[in-house]
Amino acid sequence: MLKMAENKSYTIVEYFGGDCGYRCGYCKNDEGNFSHGMWSHTMTVQDYQDLVDRGWRRSGKYVYKPKLDKTCCPQYTIRCHALKFQPSKSHKKVLKKISKFISKGELPKGQDDGEPMDSVCDEAGPREPSNVCHSEVKRAAIADIQKELPECLAITEVQKEVADGAPADSETSRKNPGSVVEERTTKAAAPKPGMGADPGRPPCRKAKDLRKERRLQKEQIRQHADGDSSTPPTAAQTKQPKPLEDFINESLPDNSSHCLEFRRFLCDSPLEAEHSPDGPEVGYGSFHQQYWLDGRIVAVGVIDILPTCVSSVYFYYHPDFASLSLGSYSALREIAFTRQLQKQSPKLSFYYLGFYIHSCPKMRYKGQYRPSDLLCPETYAWVQIEQCLPQLENSRYARFNQDADAGDPRVLKDVGRALVLYRRAVMPYAAYSRKRKGSSDETEVQQYADLVGQVCAERILLYRA
């Protein structure tokens, strides 16, 4: 056994099981939601990354894993390939809405575009530990979050349950060169009576073809002026979509009515702040991303920067700006931020949106941030969402990995090697069992170690009273 080193970071957790059901915030089933839970006193970013990749997620210092084969509304971990992401039509609509507000000062009328909201520790949140006073845990969890909040902000979500939600726009604004070509839907005017088309006139051409040709001509003229003798761009090259960053920059015009700024701060969480030579400049850990409008804070996003991803945790905003779809806007900003960090740390290339809940229609919006994958609940392999959706249409619970021989690569093989923390000493569970003859917690420790896997079980310290 080893004494705890003062200069070494450990993950220390207390496990609370998960046998009892509680109220579901999605389908309102009184006892249909089941999850396993742990209280995290401290946690390294690598341990949390490994846990997230096994279906765990944190809410404050409470870390929980839904029991997907038992719970009424299965919650599947979803990640977006940030480097390959292209904004959809509805995403562009959100950015245009922000741009119009910033440039002209006009707030959209009515409410937001249908972004679903969850309260922090209410129905849709994680299950609380069964062997701890519920009210005490709830107060602690709320206090952990509320001490981070400016007084002017209202908490609206736990797991960034914000939807894109905007209906497809029937019309698009005039496109800039290099943008994705989109058709405008119009009604054709009835032809006037006459002798038919004049055979001496050239045939009519679609407006979008004319615009494409003019762009190509301008590009050829520009290259000629620059002395570029290379071949003119092909049609395929002219169709390259604009990157997300260009759309975001266009939504923040110069000389506008309002000034929207962003600031980033470390925030309190169980994750230990860490720096690595090959990591991002800001380091790893939990951060506030604050949205300031004309010197006034209007929204805050909490994110975890982990070794291979940016994980969205919470998002809350001032209710006066609900019509701006700030939830969707913040997701786009966080994807762009992930792309920025990847330039500093090549392994960091994913954006985790929390859980995808196919059985709840209003929570399917996360599947619109593509390309994306869902985590197989049995093998913990990532599978493209397009392959998963047909299975989820047939069954709420599904094994996504189609390889029948595939299994959990980190399956528990020896619970005796799981580490425990007992009286400030670190020891394998086998040594603890010998020391504590007659201990009756083997079933609980076995369940915990199965859920975190062999690798994490040998690295995370399970607190024993």
Side-chain angles (χ1 to χ4, degrees):
M1 68 187 68
L2 302 171
K3 292 289 185 182
M4 290 186 65
E6 296 296 334
N7 59 349
K8 181 175 174 60
S9 294
Y10 291 95
T11 294
I12 303 174
V13 301
E14 292 183 70
Y15 179 66
F16 296 116
D19 297 326
C20 299
Y22 64 103
R23 181 174 172 80
C24 175
Y26 304 108
C27 69
K28 311 307 179 185
N29 187 322
D30 285 338
E31 297 182 347
N33 206 341
F34 291 83
S35 67
H36 302 280
M38 302 187 295
W39 190 263
S40 174
H41 295 274
T42 182
M43 183 170 286
T44 67
V45 291
Q46 185 60 61
D47 285 340
Y48 186 53
Q49 177 74 73
D50 289 345
L51 289 176
V52 169
D53 288 337
R54 291 184 67 84
W56 293 83
R57 183 156 176 82
R58 79 176 184 90
S59 176
K61 295 184 178 181
Y62 188 67
V63 187
Y64 62 104
K65 176 181 169 66
K67 300 175 72 171
L68 301 186
D69 58 347
K70 189 175 182 181
T71 193
C72 53
C73 296
Q75 304 166 55
Y76 297 92
T77 302
I78 183 172
R79 72 177 186 182
C80 171
H81 294 253
L83 302 185
K84 301 177 182 178
F85 172 79
Q86 285 294 333
S88 68
K89 190 173 182 180
S90 55
H91 295 150
K92 295 173 188 176
K93 181 180 178 182
V94 170
L95 294 172
K96 291 174 184 176
K97 189 192 312 188
I98 294 289
S99 177
K100 187 175 181 180
F101 170 69
I102 297 299
S103 61
K104 300 181 180 180
E106 298 178 8
L107 268 175
K109 296 181 180 180
Q111 297 300 314
D112 58 73
D113 290 320
E115 298 177 348
M117 299 297 167
D118 291 332
S119 60
V120 168
C121 286
D122 198 8
E123 300 167 350
R127 180 179 183 275
E128 301 158 358
S130 58
N131 59 344
V132 179
C133 172
H134 282 212
S135 60
E136 180 180 342
V137 173
K138 179 171 287 191
R139 284 196 301 271
I142 292 176
D144 286 338
I145 301 169
Q146 285 186 334
K147 64 186 177 183
E148 303 171 0
L149 297 179
E151 291 182 358
C152 66
L153 296 182
I155 303 177
T156 54
E157 308 171 33
V158 175
Q159 303 156 16
K160 194 174 176 54
E161 306 298 13
V162 292
D164 184 36
D169 195 0
S170 61
E171 293 190 356
T172 56
S173 60
R174 186 173 299 168
K175 305 299 181 296
N176 294 322
S179 66
V180 179
V181 177
E182 295 177 330
E183 296 186 20
R184 181 186 297 270
T185 302
T186 58
K187 293 184 178 180
K192 294 181 180 180
M195 301 299 295
D198 183 355
R201 300 183 61 181
C204 294
R205 301 174 60 191
K206 291 184 178 180
K208 67 174 184 178
D209 293 333
L210 294 173
R211 292 196 297 268
K212 201 182 305 181
E213 183 178 301
R214 284 197 293 269
R215 282 201 299 270
L216 183 58
Q217 290 173 348
K218 289 180 180 179
E219 180 66 20
Q220 291 173 340
I221 294 173
R222 184 192 65 79
Q223 289 183 352
H224 181 73
D226 293 341
D228 188 352
S229 59
S230 61
T231 58
T234 64
Q237 290 174 325
T238 61
K239 290 183 180 179
Q240 289 297 318
K242 286 194 298 185
L244 171 64
E245 291 79 359
D246 286 359
F247 287 107
I248 290 179
N249 291 335
E250 289 174 3
S251 71
L252 302 174
D254 297 328
N255 303 320
S256 55
S257 300
H258 293 294
C259 176
L260 185 63
E261 302 173 283
F262 304 88
R263 305 177 191 176
R264 189 169 298 113
F265 299 94
L266 273 168
C267 63
D268 184 37
S269 92
L271 297 185
E272 296 287 336
E274 299 179 23
H275 281 82
S276 171
D278 57 349
E281 295 177 3
V282 295
Y284 301 111
S286 299
F287 293 82
H288 272 156
Q289 288 195 311
Q290 299 183 349
Y291 295 68
W292 291 77
L293 180 66
D294 301 333
R296 172 192 181 192
I297 188 169
V298 296
V300 177
V302 177
I303 59 171
D304 293 332
I305 301 179
L306 305 176
T308 64
C309 75
V310 169
S311 175
S312 174
V313 185
Y314 311 113
F315 182 77
Y316 33 90
Y317 56 81
H318 197 291
D320 287 355
F321 301 94
S323 60
L324 286 176
S325 301
L326 290 176
S328 297
Y329 181 68
S330 70
L332 297 172
R333 295 281 317 191
E334 289 169 4
I335 292 174
F337 181 54
T338 304
R339 292 154 69 116
Q340 175 187 338
L341 295 181
Q342 193 274 339
K343 296 177 182 178
Q344 305 165 13
S345 181
K347 294 188 301 181
L348 204 163
S349 59
F350 297 102
Y351 175 63
Y352 284 45
L353 295 96
F355 291 132
Y356 174 81
I357 309 171
H358 191 78
S359 59
C360 182
K362 73 172 185 178
M363 299 309 301
R364 296 181 184 179
Y365 70 92
K366 293 181 182 179
Q368 298 173 7
Y369 294 84
R370 297 192 183 184
S372 58
D373 306 317
L374 296 184
L375 187 68
C376 176
E378 297 180 11
T379 66
Y380 302 111
W382 293 101
V383 181
Q384 292 179 350
I385 192 170
E386 292 85 354
Q387 299 178 29
C388 304
L389 295 182
Q391 295 176 264
L392 293 176
E393 286 293 330
N394 295 325
S395 174
R396 291 190 174 190
Y397 174 78
R399 170 192 166 111
F400 302 135
N401 194 332
Q402 296 301 298
D403 183 355
D405 297 326
D408 176 7
R410 297 189 173 188
V411 65
L412 181 69
K413 298 178 180 178
D414 184 0
V415 69
R417 288 157 52 189
L419 292 184
V420 300
L421 175 63
Y422 177 63
R423 293 184 176 177
R424 294 190 59 80
V426 179
M427 63 189 76
Y429 179 69
Y432 168 81
S433 296
R434 291 192 297 269
K435 192 178 185 70
R436 296 273 297 174
K437 292 181 180 179
S439 175
S440 60
D441 63 354
E442 184 174 354
T443 300
E444 178 183 298
V445 176
Q446 177 81 36
Q447 185 184 66
Y448 150 81
D450 276 331
L451 292 168
V452 302
Q454 187 72 45
V455 173
C456 284
E458 293 185 31
R459 206 168 55 206
I460 294 175
L461 306 185
L462 177 64
Y463 177 75
R464 300 283 87 187

